[in-house]
Amino acid sequence: MKTEVKILHKFMITKKLIKYLSLSSLLAIFISSCSPHHEQSTFTNAGPVAQAQSELFYLMFWIAGIIFVLVQGALIFALLNFRRKEHPIPGSDFKLPDIPPKQVHGNTKLEILWTVIPALILVAIAVPTVQTIYSTYEPPEGSDPLEIVAMGHQWWWEFRYPDEGIVTANELRVPTDRPVKVTLQSQDVIHSFWIPQVAGKKDTVPGNTNQMWFQVDEPGNYSGQCAEFCGVAHARMRFRVIAEEEADFNVWLNAMKTPPKSTASEGYGLFLAHCSMCHSIDSYMDESYEKEITVQDERWADWFHNQEESVRVSAPNLTHLGIRTMLAAGQKDMTRENLIDWIKNPSDIKQGTRMQSVATVYKGGEANLKEHEVEAIADYLLSQTPDGWGSVSAATESLEEAEVMVWNTPEEHGEYLFGNQGCSGCHSLNEDEVIVGPSMYGLIDRSDSRVEGLSAEEYVYQSIVYPNEYIVDGYAANVMPQIFINLDEEELNALVSYLKTIK
Ligand code: CUA
């Protein structure tokens, strides 16, 4: 019996200890989350909008704090002083009950007072609140804001610069000391745009446009986060605001409109074959802005209407990926190693990503690519930096290699290009086999009757350079990358010559 009591006693002590420890660790987490040094702390204000929102918070905090102390103080005072007491009768065991205080029913003065005071408090809070709502909606009059569109996608951010014709993803570059006007939209579900140290949160709602602005005072990186539960990868929908002095920012703007040093490499072909259906990489070109927006909408519509079979879904623009600092909406730093891991098995790094379920190269598992092919794609992507940005690209070497290659016939050259440029990723050479686009089998025989006034060769040539000019029944426009216009005349003719032999 005694040992049982002892055990029970020990058990209770342990239970108490656990309770105490878990309570104190909870408290520690709670307190540390208030640290102004955290990169997502709202107690650090990096710009005027954050400052205004902070001031509003402090005003409410102190008003609420004072009311709390006064009300709780009065309550405690009343509890201690007016509790029911019993009065012992001297020389006896009996006690006299307390005499009840005077009962009050209705007190007009008091009632007016406790109606008017809260009303005044609410007014005192409402006036600055409404002011702040308006002042954080529209940039200050007379300022020259940079306009951007922040588009929420499951589960990444698209950033558009409509005046500049630039589209990028997950990293938002802005100049310091200049207001940034943000138009908030969403393609799929409700997300929320939040840069804790700078501004927010504001929802991005499908079919509805919201607006806010912010400004960053000092150059640096500012962490952003989707702040509205939006699905399985909500917590992994981060972004980064990179604030730079106006001059540095302008360098980036121009760089984004500059083509990369080189595009030709083994990785380029593989990218075209396996990735280009969903990821654009050439948004440095003129008029690419409108194209990207149209194509992005189509990718989404495709997936949305046929989630089982669609081979594309809206995905981040990868133009000049080599100058990005993070990967997979902020899951990893942008390093070669991480990028290789990501290409191999994206769901491992970011559960919920649609990359693996949509792209045919995965077929639900790891990438169906050889190690050196994955490396080639990673190297190609990392080589995508604007010409003159100052990095030696891995692709340059491959380009030099490619240039010394010799072909005996145009058909041979065309066959090489068919693989190297990624055509084979989407077009089969076998009769009736459809990978993504139509099979190339017997192409030339059915081509001369397609478009009036075009010979079979001219039609094939046109279809490579301007794929949207003629869309074969049963296939969609804008699926084929419109980038082969960059091939030179000789290469295009070689491709046509090669395709003529497929029958
Ligand atoms: Cu997007 Cu949460």
Side-chain angles (χ1 to χ4, degrees):
M1 187 69 192
K2 254 190 179 170
T3 35
E4 273 170 26
V5 171
K6 258 187 185 170
I7 290 168
L8 196 68
H9 189 65
K10 257 192 181 168
F11 173 72
M12 281 169 74
I13 288 178
T14 331
K15 229 177 134 185
K16 260 190 186 165
L17 203 67
I18 290 170
K19 209 172 160 188
Y20 173 75
L21 282 177
S22 51
L23 252 177
S24 51
S25 53
L26 265 179
L27 198 67
I29 292 169
F30 181 71
I31 291 170
S32 65
S33 64
C34 296
S35 159
H37 306 298
H38 189 273
E39 61 173 313
Q40 295 204 161
S41 169
T42 48
F43 291 99
T44 308
N45 303 139
V49 172
Q51 191 66 41
Q53 290 172 332
S54 239
E55 278 163 14
L56 191 60
F57 165 77
Y58 281 119
L59 176 75
M60 288 195 189
F61 176 81
W62 287 117
I63 290 178
I66 291 166
I67 293 170
F68 179 81
V69 170
L70 288 179
V71 171
Q72 295 302 312
L75 181 69
I76 291 167
F77 178 82
L79 282 174
L80 294 179
N81 285 286
F82 304 117
R83 58 188 300 165
R84 186 172 170 172
K85 296 180 198 110
E86 287 172 326
H87 305 276
I89 302 169
S92 138
D93 284 344
F94 292 103
K95 287 171 182 168
L96 270 183
D98 207 3
I99 305 154
K102 191 183 154 204
Q103 299 297 299
V104 193
H105 297 283
N107 184 321
T108 317
K109 263 188 209 161
L110 211 56
E111 278 164 23
I112 289 174
L113 206 64
W114 70 44
T115 308
V116 168
I117 291 176
L120 287 177
I121 292 170
L122 288 181
V123 170
I125 292 173
V127 172
T129 302
V130 174
Q131 270 175 352
T132 308
I133 288 173
Y134 280 99
S135 74
T136 54
Y137 182 77
E138 200 76 66
E141 243 173 88
S143 63
D144 168 34
L146 170 77
E147 301 218 9
I148 64 139
V149 177
M151 183 84 157
H153 295 270
Q154 281 175 320
W155 291 270
W156 56 281
W157 292 93
E158 180 181 350
F159 296 123
R160 301 174 180 169
Y161 297 69
D163 296 338
E164 304 291 341
I166 289 172
V167 185
T168 188
N170 299 326
E171 282 183 22
L172 178 62
R173 293 227 184 198
V174 297
T176 50
D177 291 325
R178 181 178 167 196
V180 180
K181 184 175 165 185
V182 192
T183 302
L184 299 155
Q185 295 176 337
S186 168
Q187 198 180 44
D188 36 46
V189 300
I190 300 176
H191 306 269
S192 183
F193 182 83
W194 187 34
I195 322 160
Q197 297 192 355
V198 180
K201 321 156 175 173
K202 205 154 210 180
D203 283 2
T204 71
V205 184
N208 183 42
T209 298
N210 266 341
Q211 188 194 303
M212 61 181 269
W213 72 280
F214 67 83
Q215 181 177 314
V216 184
D217 292 336
E218 296 291 329
N221 292 344
Y222 299 88
S223 181
Q225 168 78 54
C226 176
E228 174 77 40
F229 181 72
C230 56
V232 62
H234 155 68
R236 300 183 188 280
M237 189 172 162
R238 305 184 61 181
F239 61 101
R240 175 173 282 171
V241 174
I242 302 175
E244 296 172 310
E245 308 265 1
E246 185 95 33
D248 295 331
F249 173 70
N250 288 334
V251 168
W252 176 79
L253 274 189
N254 289 325
M256 286 304 282
K257 298 175 203 165
T258 310
K261 212 170 198 169
S262 111
T263 48
S265 70
E266 189 200 354
Y268 177 54
L270 291 162
F271 174 85
L272 289 178
H274 303 298
C275 325
S276 66
M277 208 87 64
C278 305
H279 295 287
S280 303
I281 193 129
D282 57 353
S283 295
Y284 44 79
M285 300 207 299
D286 289 344
E287 287 162 38
S288 55
Y289 181 80
E290 287 73 21
K291 193 185 99 189
E292 172 70 353
I293 287 163
T294 316
V295 173
Q296 196 70 275
D297 283 347
E298 287 170 355
R299 287 176 187 140
W300 169 252
D302 261 16
W303 181 82
F304 186 68
H305 292 118
N306 191 357
Q307 296 181 18
E308 294 300 312
E309 278 165 48
S310 177
V311 291
R312 56 179 189 164
V313 63
S314 40
N317 189 306
L318 303 184
T319 301
H320 293 322
L321 190 84
I323 61 175
R324 301 248 183 101
T325 60
M326 2 171 266
L327 179 68
Q331 297 318 295
K332 296 267 177 186
D333 288 334
M334 182 64 80
T335 65
R336 185 172 185 267
E337 205 185 4
N338 288 342
L339 187 56
I340 288 172
D341 289 346
W342 170 253
I343 296 169
K344 265 192 218 160
N345 199 354
S347 303
D348 218 29
I349 290 174
K350 186 169 166 178
Q351 196 195 359
T353 173
R354 296 200 172 119
M355 192 157 148
Q356 217 145 358
S357 55
V358 172
T360 38
V361 70
Y362 294 102
K363 295 223 174 79
E366 269 197 29
N368 194 12
L369 295 165
K370 296 188 183 75
E371 187 73 31
H372 78 90
E373 291 176 318
V374 174
E375 286 173 13
I377 295 176
D379 287 337
Y380 164 68
L381 289 173
L382 291 173
S383 79
Q384 295 303 292
T385 59
D387 197 5
W389 190 263
S391 98
V392 185
S393 69
T396 323
E397 288 164 36
S398 315
L399 178 66
E400 278 155 11
E401 257 170 52
E403 273 171 352
V404 297
M405 289 180 84
V406 190
W407 295 279
N408 297 318
T409 61
E411 288 78 10
E412 228 179 86
H413 187 185
E415 185 176 5
Y416 166 80
L417 290 167
F418 191 76
N420 172 269
Q421 294 294 313
C423 317
S424 57
C426 298
H427 296 286
S428 162
L429 300 177
N430 304 323
E431 200 172 359
D432 295 334
E433 187 196 357
V434 174
I435 306 173
V436 174
S439 160
M440 295 289 101
Y441 187 87
L443 173 69
I444 205 73
D445 294 336
R446 57 179 188 262
S447 290
D448 49 359
S449 56
R450 279 273 162 80
V451 179
E452 216 176 306
L454 287 188
S455 70
E457 286 87 353
E458 284 166 340
Y459 166 77
V460 174
Y461 188 102
Q462 175 191 281
S463 301
I464 299 171
V465 179
Y466 303 111
N468 284 342
E469 283 292 309
Y470 181 92
I471 299 296
V472 179
D473 274 351
Y475 295 91
N478 285 317
V479 174
M480 176 155 158
Q482 294 161 59
I483 47 177
F484 301 108
I485 197 168
N486 296 333
L487 295 174
D488 64 33
E489 197 66 25
E490 194 192 332
E491 290 171 315
L492 288 166
N493 286 327
L495 265 173
V496 175
S497 306
Y498 168 64
L499 290 173
K500 279 166 75 177
T501 66
I502 313 299
K503 47 183 166 182

